[in-house]
C-alpha cells in the first residue's frame, strides 16, 4: 500500500443524472416502501463520519428504491452522501454482488473496488473513519390479496433474477417493498486487526454477506432449494448409518434394502416447502380469515422480531383448534417472518392434501415412535433442520384440547430438539410460546361428542368436505399473544451447569435430559398461560356458568363483569396478559350478537341466560382463562361456608392446596409468591367492599349470605371450586379405603366414577369435571410430594396426616357435596373399580 495517501478531496456536488431522475419519477408511483425501523435516525449517530450504504445485490431499481427510502426517512440520499466521501464516487453505495456487464470489462463478482479504496484511505488516515450502513431490499415479499394470483410468481426469493423479471416484480409487487436498515458498521474497527488491507476487506465482506443472508432468511425464510440434498444428509449421517446396520442385522436383510427403508422414512417425513405455495396460501387465507373472523389481533410481536435474527426459533403455541396450524404461520409470514416448518400428524398426509401441506412447510410424524429405526431417522431430520437455521413449530400438548384447558406437555419433540442442540450448540435455540384465543371454534360440536364418549372422527376427505359447511359461520375475533420466550442455554445452565460436556458425544443421552425436558415443557406452558387474553366470551362464560341455571339478572351480570375487569386490571396476572377493551354493557351486547347468550325480558329486570348446549360449549371458553382467576377464586372459596376467617388460615390452606392447583393450571408463582398474591387479593376485595377486616386486619369477614356482595364472591369462587372438589374426591377415597388398599390406577378409576356420579346428582355439567387425566395428574402430584407412596405390592400408602388434610376440606366444601362423595361405601367402590377395569380390558 502506498503510504502517502491523499487527504480528503474537496467536496464536489454530486448531481443525480437526468436520466436517473426520469427513471425514478416513472418508478415512484409503483413503489410503496415499508421501512424497518421506522425511526432510522436512532441507528445513525450524528457525527462527522461519511456514510456509505451497502446493499446485497446491484441493480438500478435497488438504487432508486434506496434513494426513495432515504428521502422518506430524512437521510442523505446516496448521491448527496457521495459528497462527503474521501474518494471520488458518483454515489455512496456498495453492492456486494453484481450482474455481468453486457459490454466492457467485467467487474469482480464479489470484490468491491470502492471498499478497497475506502479501506486504504482509513488505514492511511488514523483520524478518519467511514460508517457502512447495510440496507436490505425486498420487493413483493407477501403480495396483498388485491394483487392477483400472478403476482406471487414474481415475489422476492433467493434467486438472483434478471432485469426483465425484476421489472415485472416491481410492476406487480412494488407496493409491497420492504427496506430494512441495520446498525452501521465501523470500517476502521473491522480492518484494524488485519495485517493486510485486502484481508481486512475480505473479512468485512464476509461479515456483510453473513448479515444479508441472516436478514433474508429471517424475512423470506431459508433457501429451500435442496430438499434432496437434505434427505441425503439425513441418510448419510452417522447415527442413521448405524441404525441401518442395526436394522439389517436385526431383520436379516441386505444393507442396501435397510438403507432404502431409511430413505423412505426420510421422504415420508420431510417437508418440501415452496415459497410459491406459501405465498399462494397467504393470498388465499387472507380472504378466508376476513370471511370467518371479525378480526385477528396480535400482541407483543415486536419483542419476537428482536430475537429472531441469530436464533433458532421454535414456535410452541397452545392447541385449541385445527385453524392454529394455518393461522400462526400466516400471521408470521404477513408480518415479515418466514413460515416455520410445522410438525403434523401423518394422519393428515391424505391424497392431494398431504403434498400441499408438505409444500406449505409441514413435515409428518407418526403417532408412535416405537420403531427405533424410524425414531433415529426422524431425530436426524430434526437435527438437520436446526443445523440449517430453519425455524420450527409444533404443539407440545400432543393434540387439541377438547376442554379448553392447557394440557400436560408431551416431551418427545422437545427431547429431540434439545438433543439436536447438544450436537450443534453454536446456534442458540429459543422457544417462543404463543397463546391463541378464540371467541368461537369450528370444532365445538365434535368436542361435545368426544367428551360424551363418541370416538374421534378420523381425518379423511369426507370429514374435510363435511367441515366446509362451518366456513359459512362467523367465529368472532381471534387474539394471538406472543409470550415470554424461553432461551434454552440459560435454562440448561440452571439445570445442569456442566451440560456442555454432553456436546462432546453427539449420541449421548445424559441422565439430566429428562429433567431438562420436563422443566422446559412446564416453563413453556406457564409462559403460554402468562400471555392469555380475556375476551368478552371468556368473561361471560366465567360469570354465567357460576350459577346453577346459568342465568343472571342483567344488573348482577354487569356488576360481575365489572368486578372481573377491575380484578384483572388491578392485579394483572402478568405483563403479557391482555384484556378486552369492551365495557360490561358492551360485553353483554356482544355476547348476544354472537348468539352465546339469550335475553329474557321481564318487568322487574331482564335476565341473561345460556341454553344447556351452549353452556357446555361455554365451559371451553371459561377453561381458557381459569388460571387468571385462580387466586381470587381461592380466596372467594374460603368464604363459601364461612362468614369469618383468620388471614393466617386463608394463607395456610392456600399454601397447602397450591402445589396441586399450580400443576393443573400451570401457574407461575412459587408458594411464597402465591401467599403474597393472596394478601394482595384480600386487600383488593376489602377495597371493593366485598370483604371486611377487623381493626388489626387479622380477621376477614364477608357480608350476609343473601347480600349482593356475597353473591359476587360465590360466583367468583365457582371458577376454582370444581378443582377443589376433585381433590377432595381423591383424598376422601384414599382415606376411606385405607392404606395398602388401592393402586394408583384403581384410585384413578374410583375418582372418575365418583365424579361422574356427582355430576349427575348436582348438575356439574363441566366436561372436565370427571376427566381422567386431571385425576391422574393429581395422584402423580401426591406421589411427587410424598403425600402418598406405593408399597412393595404397588398399593398406595400414606400416614395419618392425610386424614387431617381431608378434614380441612370442610372449611371449603358444602356438607351436601361432602356427603355425596362419602356416600359410596368401600365395598361398592371396589365393585365399581373391578367392573371398570374389566370393561377397560374388554375394550
Amino acid at each position: 500500500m502506498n503510504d502517502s495517501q491523499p487527504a480528503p478531496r474537496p467536496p464536489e456536488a454530486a448531481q443525480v443524472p437526468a436520466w436517473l431522475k426520469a427513471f425514478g419519477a416513472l418508478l415512484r408511483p409503483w413503489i410503496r416502501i415499508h421501512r424497518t425501523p421506522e425511526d432510522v435516525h436512532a441507528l445513525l449517530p450524528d457525527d462527522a463520519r461519511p456514510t456509505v450504504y451497502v446493499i446485497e445485490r446491484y441493480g438500478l431499481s435497488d438504487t432508486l428504491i434506496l434513494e426513495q427510502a432515504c428521502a422518506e426517512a430524512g437521510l442523505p440520499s446516496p448521491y448527496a452522501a457521495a459528497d462527503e466521501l474521501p474518494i471520488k464516487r458518483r454515489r455512496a453505495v456498495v453492492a456486494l454482488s453484481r450482474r455481468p456487464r453486457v459490454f466492457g470489462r467485467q467487474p469482480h463478482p464479489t470484490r468491491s473496488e470502492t471498499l478497497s479504496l475506502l479501506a486504504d484511505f482509513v488505514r492511511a488516515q488514523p483520524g478518519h473513519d467511514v460508517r457502512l450502513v447495510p440496507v436490505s431490499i425486498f420487493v413483493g415479499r407477501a403480495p396483498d390479496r388485491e394483487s392477483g394470483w400472478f403476482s406471487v410468481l414474481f415475489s422476492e426469493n433467493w434467486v438472483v433474477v434478471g432485469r426483465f423479471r425484476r421489472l415485472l416484480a416491481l410492476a406487480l409487487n412494488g407496493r409491497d417493498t420492504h427496506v430494512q436498515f441495520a446498525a452501521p458498521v465501523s470500517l476502521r474497527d473491522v480492518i484494524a486487526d488485519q495485517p493486510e488491507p485486502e484481508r481486512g476487506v475480505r473479512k468485512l465482506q464476509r461479515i456483510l454477506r453473513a448479515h444479508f443472508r441472516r436478514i433474508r432468511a429471517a424475512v423470506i425464510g431459508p433457501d429451500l432449494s435442496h430438499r434432496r440434498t437434505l434427505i441425503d444428509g439425513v441418510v448419510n449421517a452417522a447415527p442413521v448409518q448405524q441404525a441401518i446396520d442395526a436394522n439389517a442385522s436385526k431383520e436379516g436383510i441386505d444393507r442396501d434394502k435397510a438403507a432404502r427403508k431409511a430413505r423412505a422414512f426420510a421422504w415420508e417425513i420431510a417437508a418440501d416447502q415452496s415459497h410459491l405455495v406459501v405465498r399462494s396460501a397467504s393470498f388465499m387465507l387472507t380472504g378466508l380469515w376476513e370471511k370467518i373472523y371479525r378480526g385477528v389481533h396480535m400482541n407483543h410481536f415486536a419483542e419476537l422480531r428482536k430475537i429472531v435474527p441469530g436464533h433458532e426459533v421454535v414456535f410452541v403455541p397452545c392447541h385449541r383448534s385445527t385453524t392454529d396450524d394455518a393461522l400462526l404461520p400466516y400471521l408470521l409470514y404477513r408480518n415479515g417472518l418466514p413460515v416455520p416448518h410445522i410438525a403434523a400428524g401423518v394422519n393428515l398426509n391424505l391424497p392431494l392434501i398431504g403434498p400441499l401441506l408438505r409444500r406449505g412447510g409441514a413435515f409428518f410424524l407418526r403417532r408412535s415412535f416405537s420403531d427405533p429405526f424410524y425414531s433415529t431417522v426422524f431425530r436426524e431430520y430434526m437435527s438437520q433442520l436446526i443445523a440449517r437455521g430453519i425455524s420450527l413449530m409444533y404443539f407440545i400438548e400432543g393434540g387439541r384440547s377438547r376442554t379448553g384447558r392447557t394440557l400436560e406437555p408431551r416431551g418427545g419433540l422437545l427431547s429431540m430438539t434439545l438433543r439436536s442442540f447438544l450436537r450443534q450448540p453454536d446456534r442458540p435455540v429459543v422457544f417462543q410460546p404463543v397463546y391463541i384465543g378464540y371467541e368461537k371454534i369450528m370444532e365445538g360440536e365434535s368436542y361435545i361428542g368426544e367428551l360424551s364418549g363418541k370416538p374421534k372422527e378420523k381425518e379423511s376427505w369426507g370429514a374435510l368436505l363435511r367441515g366446509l359447511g362451518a366456513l359459512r359461520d362467523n367465529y368472532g375475533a381471534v387474539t394471538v399473544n406472543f409470550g415470554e420466550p424461553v432461551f434454552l442455554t440459560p435454562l440448561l445452565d440452571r439445570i445442569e451447569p456442566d451440560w456442555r460436556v454432553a456436546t462432546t458425544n453427539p449420541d449421548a443421552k445424559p441422565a439430566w435430559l429428562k429433567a431438562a425436558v420436563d422443566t422446559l415443557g412446564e416453563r413453556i406452558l406457564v409462559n403460554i398461560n402468562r400471555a392469555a387474553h380475556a375476551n368478552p366470551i371468556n368473561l361471560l362464560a366465567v360469570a354465567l356458568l357460576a350459577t346453577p341455571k346459568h342465568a343472571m339478572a342483567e344488573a348482577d351480570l354487569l356488576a360481575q363483569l365489572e368486578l372481573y375487569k377491575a380484578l384483572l386490571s388491578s392485579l394483572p396476572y402478568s405483563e403479557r396478559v391482555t384484556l378486552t377493551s369492551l365495557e360490561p354493557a358492551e360485553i353483554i351486547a356482544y355476547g348476544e350478537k354472537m348468539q352465546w347468550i339469550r335475553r329474557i325480558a321481564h318487568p322487574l329486570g331482564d335476565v341473561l341466560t345460556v341454553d344447556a348446549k351452549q353452556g357446555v360449549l361455554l365451559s371451553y371458553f371459561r377453561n381458557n382463562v381459569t388460571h387468571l382467576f385462580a387466586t381470587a377464586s381461592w380466596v372467594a372459596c374460603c368464604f363459601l361456608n364461612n362468614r369469618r376467617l383468620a388471614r393466617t388460615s386463608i394463607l395456610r390452606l392456600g399454601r397447602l392446596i397450591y402445589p396441586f392447583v399450580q400443576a393443573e393450571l400451570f401457574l407461575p408463582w412459587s408458594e411464597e409468591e402465591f401467599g403474597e398474591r393472596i394478601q394482595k387479593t384480600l386487600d383488593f376485595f376489602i377495597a371493593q367492599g366485598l370483604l371486611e377486616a377487623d381493626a388489626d386486619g387479622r380477621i376477614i369477614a364477608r357480608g350476609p349470605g343473601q347480600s349482593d356482595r356475597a353473591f359476587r364472591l360465590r360466583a367468583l369462587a365457582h371458577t376454582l371450586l370444581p378443582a377443589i372438589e376433585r381433590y377432595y374426591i381423591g383424598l376422601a377415597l384414599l382415606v376411606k379405603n385405607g392404606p395398602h388398599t388401592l393402586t394408583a390406577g384403581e384410585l384413578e378409576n374410583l375418582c372418575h366414577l365418583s365424579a361422574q356420579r356427582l355430576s349427575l346428582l348436582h348438575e356439574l355439567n363441566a366436561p372436565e369435571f370427571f376427566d381422567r387425566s386431571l385425576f391422574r395428574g393429581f395422584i402423580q402430584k401426591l406421589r411427587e410430594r410424598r403425600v402418598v407412596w406405593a408399597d412393595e405390592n404397588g398399593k398406595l400408602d400414606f400416614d395419618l396426616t392425610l386424614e387431617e388434610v381431608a378434614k380441612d376440606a370442610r372449611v371449603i366444601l358444602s356438607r351436601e357435596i361432602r356427603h355425596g362423595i362419602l356416600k359410596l361405601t368401600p365395598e361398592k367402590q371396589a365393585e365399581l373399580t373391578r367392573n371398570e377395569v374389566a370393561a377397560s380390558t374388554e375394550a
Side-chain angles (χ1 to χ4, degrees):
M1 182 181 71
N2 186 359
D3 292 334
S4 58
Q5 293 294 325
R9 66 180 179 87
E12 298 175 7
Q15 296 294 326
V16 180
W19 62 271
L20 197 64
K21 288 183 178 179
F23 272 117
L26 290 173
L27 186 65
R28 196 164 294 113
W30 300 89
I31 300 295
R32 179 183 295 167
I33 294 175
H34 306 277
R35 189 176 65 254
T36 305
E38 291 188 7
D39 182 15
V40 183
H41 287 279
L43 293 175
L44 303 178
D46 187 12
D47 55 39
R49 290 181 299 169
T51 298
V52 174
Y53 300 103
V54 183
I55 57 178
E56 185 178 10
R57 301 166 180 173
Y58 175 78
L60 176 61
S61 61
D62 284 8
T63 303
L64 293 172
I65 290 170
L66 173 62
E67 184 177 6
Q68 182 175 333
C70 290
E72 293 177 1
L75 298 177
S77 77
Y79 289 90
D83 291 344
E84 307 299 325
L85 292 182
I87 61 175
K88 187 174 182 179
R89 281 292 183 269
R90 180 182 302 172
R91 53 181 175 264
V93 178
V94 169
L96 293 187
S97 63
R98 302 176 66 87
R99 296 190 186 92
R101 291 175 179 169
V102 180
F103 304 104
R105 182 172 64 87
Q106 296 297 328
H108 193 283
T110 60
R111 188 173 66 243
S112 168
E113 179 184 356
T114 300
L115 282 181
S116 297
L117 292 174
L118 289 172
D120 290 344
F121 170 78
V122 168
R123 183 178 292 273
Q125 302 288 335
H128 290 80
D129 191 11
V130 174
R131 61 182 177 191
L132 307 173
V133 180
V135 183
S136 302
I137 298 173
F138 306 97
V139 175
R141 179 195 166 276
D144 292 331
R145 183 167 178 261
E146 295 80 8
S147 302
W149 282 96
F150 191 62
S151 64
V152 302
L153 298 172
F154 297 95
S155 299
E156 195 72 48
N157 54 42
W158 284 83
V159 179
V160 179
V161 299
R163 293 176 177 84
F164 179 69
R165 184 181 175 91
R166 188 65 165 180
L167 181 61
L168 286 177
L170 289 167
L172 292 167
N173 298 318
R175 298 180 71 80
D176 185 46
T177 298
H178 294 253
V179 177
Q180 187 162 336
F181 290 84
V185 177
S186 167
L187 179 58
R188 175 170 294 281
D189 289 349
V190 175
I191 68 173
D193 59 346
Q194 299 298 322
E196 300 178 10
E198 277 305 310
R199 183 178 296 180
V201 172
R202 288 197 297 271
K203 175 186 176 182
L204 174 61
Q205 290 178 313
R206 286 196 304 271
I207 292 172
L208 291 170
R209 280 195 292 269
H211 165 79
F212 283 119
R213 282 197 301 271
R214 186 170 67 251
I215 297 300
R216 183 167 288 271
V219 171
I220 67 172
D223 188 356
L224 303 171
S225 58
H226 303 293
R227 181 183 182 228
R228 187 179 296 274
T229 303
L230 186 146
I231 290 177
D232 288 342
V234 170
V235 175
N236 294 328
V240 176
Q241 287 293 308
Q242 293 171 8
I244 290 172
D245 292 334
N247 185 259
S249 175
K250 177 183 177 181
E251 298 188 3
I253 59 176
D254 182 77
R255 191 182 188 282
D256 289 343
K257 185 175 181 180
R260 289 195 296 272
K261 187 177 178 181
R263 189 172 293 275
F265 284 153
W267 279 102
E268 174 190 310
I269 295 166
D272 188 19
Q273 194 178 72
S274 160
H275 291 304
L276 175 60
V277 171
V278 168
R279 295 185 194 105
S280 301
S282 170
F283 178 92
M284 180 186 69
L285 288 172
T286 298
L288 177 64
W289 303 144
E290 289 176 355
K291 175 178 173 57
I292 67 174
Y293 294 129
R294 287 193 170 97
V296 179
H297 311 291
M298 285 199 315
N299 297 296
H300 316 303
F301 182 76
E303 291 88 337
L304 167 64
R305 191 189 292 277
K306 294 176 184 176
I307 67 172
V308 168
H311 283 89
E312 167 64 22
V313 183
V314 182
F315 294 94
V316 275
C318 61
H319 202 7
R320 303 284 164 80
S321 171
T322 50
T323 55
D324 299 340
D325 307 69
L327 180 64
L328 179 56
Y330 166 84
L331 291 174
L332 295 174
Y333 184 70
R334 297 294 294 186
N335 287 276
L337 296 184
V339 172
H341 276 39
I342 307 160
V346 74
N347 55 309
L348 294 175
N349 193 14
L350 301 170
L352 298 180
I353 295 178
L356 185 62
L357 294 176
R358 201 184 294 274
R359 298 287 282 175
F363 63 96
F364 295 100
L365 68 155
R366 298 178 180 179
R367 293 300 183 188
S368 172
F369 280 72
S370 57
D371 183 352
F373 193 15
Y374 173 83
S375 179
T376 301
V377 174
F378 189 91
R379 186 168 59 249
E380 182 59 35
Y381 176 74
M382 291 272 291
S383 297
Q384 294 279 347
L385 292 182
I386 292 174
R388 291 172 176 237
I390 296 174
S391 59
L392 303 175
M393 172 181 145
Y394 49 73
F395 303 100
I396 65 171
E397 295 171 276
R400 282 173 283 142
S401 172
R402 266 62 178 177
T403 64
R405 306 172 71 90
T406 303
L407 304 179
E408 288 285 334
R410 304 283 183 88
L413 291 176
L414 289 176
S415 178
M416 290 184 182
T417 305
L418 204 158
R419 293 183 68 183
S420 299
F421 170 73
L422 293 178
R423 286 178 54 181
Q424 294 179 315
D426 298 332
R427 184 178 178 85
V429 173
V430 59
F431 293 87
Q432 177 58 63
V434 184
Y435 177 89
I436 305 176
Y438 297 93
E439 294 177 349
K440 187 179 284 189
I441 52 173
M442 299 180 187
E443 304 90 343
E445 297 287 341
S446 65
Y447 283 179
I448 293 176
E450 290 175 38
L451 289 168
S452 63
K454 294 181 181 179
K456 176 180 177 293
E457 185 177 8
K458 293 184 178 180
E459 285 75 10
S460 65
W461 266 101
L464 176 65
L465 293 174
R466 286 192 296 274
L468 292 178
L471 300 180
R472 294 193 299 267
D473 298 333
N474 188 280
Y475 295 90
V478 183
T479 300
V480 178
N481 285 352
F482 293 89
E484 183 180 345
V486 181
F487 293 90
L488 184 55
T489 300
L491 182 138
L492 292 180
D493 288 337
R494 289 194 298 271
I495 295 172
E496 177 54 57
D498 296 329
W499 65 266
R500 290 171 180 81
V501 175
T503 63
T504 59
N505 182 2
D507 298 324
K509 192 174 182 180
W512 49 263
L513 182 67
K514 184 179 185 305
V517 170
D518 291 344
T519 302
L520 176 61
E522 182 180 353
R523 175 49 51 189
I524 289 170
L525 294 183
V526 166
N527 284 6
I528 287 175
N529 276 356
R530 291 179 67 200
H533 174 71
N535 64 43
I537 310 307
N538 297 140
L539 299 182
L540 285 172
V542 172
L544 289 169
L545 297 188
T547 59
K549 292 188 175 182
H550 300 167
M552 270 192 187
E554 185 173 18
D556 290 335
L557 183 55
L558 287 169
Q560 202 67 22
L561 293 173
E562 186 177 356
L563 172 63
Y564 294 162
K565 290 201 66 175
L567 177 66
L568 294 178
S569 300
S570 302
L571 297 175
Y573 187 88
S574 84
E575 62 182 10
R576 298 205 181 204
V577 165
T578 53
L579 175 64
T580 177
S581 60
L582 298 183
E583 295 300 320
E586 295 172 318
I587 291 175
I588 293 174
Y590 188 72
E592 292 181 88
K593 182 178 180 181
M594 291 288 293
Q595 299 181 350
W596 277 116
I597 60 177
R598 181 167 54 89
R599 180 182 294 270
I600 301 176
H602 194 275
L604 298 181
D606 290 357
V607 173
L608 282 306
T609 186
V610 178
D611 296 333
K613 183 178 179 181
Q614 293 289 75
V616 177
L617 286 173
L618 273 180
S619 69
Y620 180 97
F621 297 94
R622 177 196 61 195
N623 293 342
N624 290 171
V625 296
T626 297
H627 61 285
L628 300 182
F629 299 95
T631 310
S633 184
W634 164 251
V635 172
C637 281
C638 291
F639 291 93
L640 278 174
N641 303 299
N642 304 280
R643 283 287 302 273
R644 294 162 57 87
L645 273 176
R647 189 183 287 256
T648 54
S649 296
I650 299 171
L651 291 172
R652 179 183 64 81
L653 291 172
R655 291 194 181 98
L656 185 67
I657 200 172
Y658 179 67
F660 308 104
V661 180
Q662 181 188 33
E664 182 174 324
L665 300 180
F666 299 98
L667 303 180
W669 312 294
S670 65
E671 290 184 26
E672 292 73 20
E673 290 169 337
F674 183 63
E676 294 172 3
R677 194 164 179 87
I678 288 176
Q679 297 275 29
K680 293 179 180 178
T681 304
L682 285 169
D683 294 338
F684 170 80
F685 283 154
I686 293 170
Q688 290 284 316
L690 300 180
L691 294 175
E692 297 175 353
D694 63 3
D696 56 8
R698 291 187 300 172
I699 303 300
I700 311 297
R702 66 160 169 83
Q706 302 306 314
S707 67
D708 289 341
R709 293 179 296 172
F711 173 80
R712 293 165 73 183
L713 280 176
R714 255 196 325 272
L716 184 55
H718 194 276
T719 306
L720 195 62
L721 189 60
I724 298 172
E725 291 170 348
R726 281 197 306 274
Y727 304 154
Y728 184 66
I729 289 172
L731 295 177
L733 290 176
L734 260 177
V735 171
K736 193 167 185 179
N737 282 276
H740 310 288
T741 304
L742 300 173
T743 65
E746 289 170 343
L747 178 59
E748 179 188 319
N749 284 330
L750 272 178
C751 291
H752 167 69
L753 292 168
S754 299
Q756 243 182 4
R757 186 172 184 272
L758 278 174
S759 69
L760 294 173
L761 291 172
H762 299 282
E763 294 184 333
L764 302 173
N765 65 345
E768 77 281 358
F769 182 68
F770 46 86
D771 186 349
R772 288 180 181 275
S773 65
L774 296 179
F775 286 113
R776 190 179 308 125
F778 173 64
I779 296 167
Q780 179 61 29
K781 181 58 68 172
L782 287 174
R783 298 180 69 171
E784 287 177 8
R785 296 183 66 83
R786 298 296 297 167
V787 176
V788 302
W789 57 91
D791 62 17
E792 61 275 7
N793 298 317
K795 303 292 185 178
L796 295 180
D797 191 11
F798 54 89
D799 57 37
L800 295 180
T801 58
L802 191 65
E803 296 185 25
E804 298 301 318
V805 174
K807 289 179 182 177
D808 279 333
R810 296 177 183 176
V811 177
I812 307 300
L813 300 179
S814 68
R815 181 178 300 176
E816 184 182 19
I817 291 293
R818 296 202 313 272
H819 178 71
I821 294 171
L822 297 174
K823 192 173 181 180
L824 288 174
T825 65
E827 295 77 13
K828 184 64 176 176
Q829 294 163 2
E831 178 187 346
L832 287 170
T833 299
R834 286 193 297 272
N835 293 339
E836 180 75 10
V837 171
S840 300
T841 304
E842 291 174 4

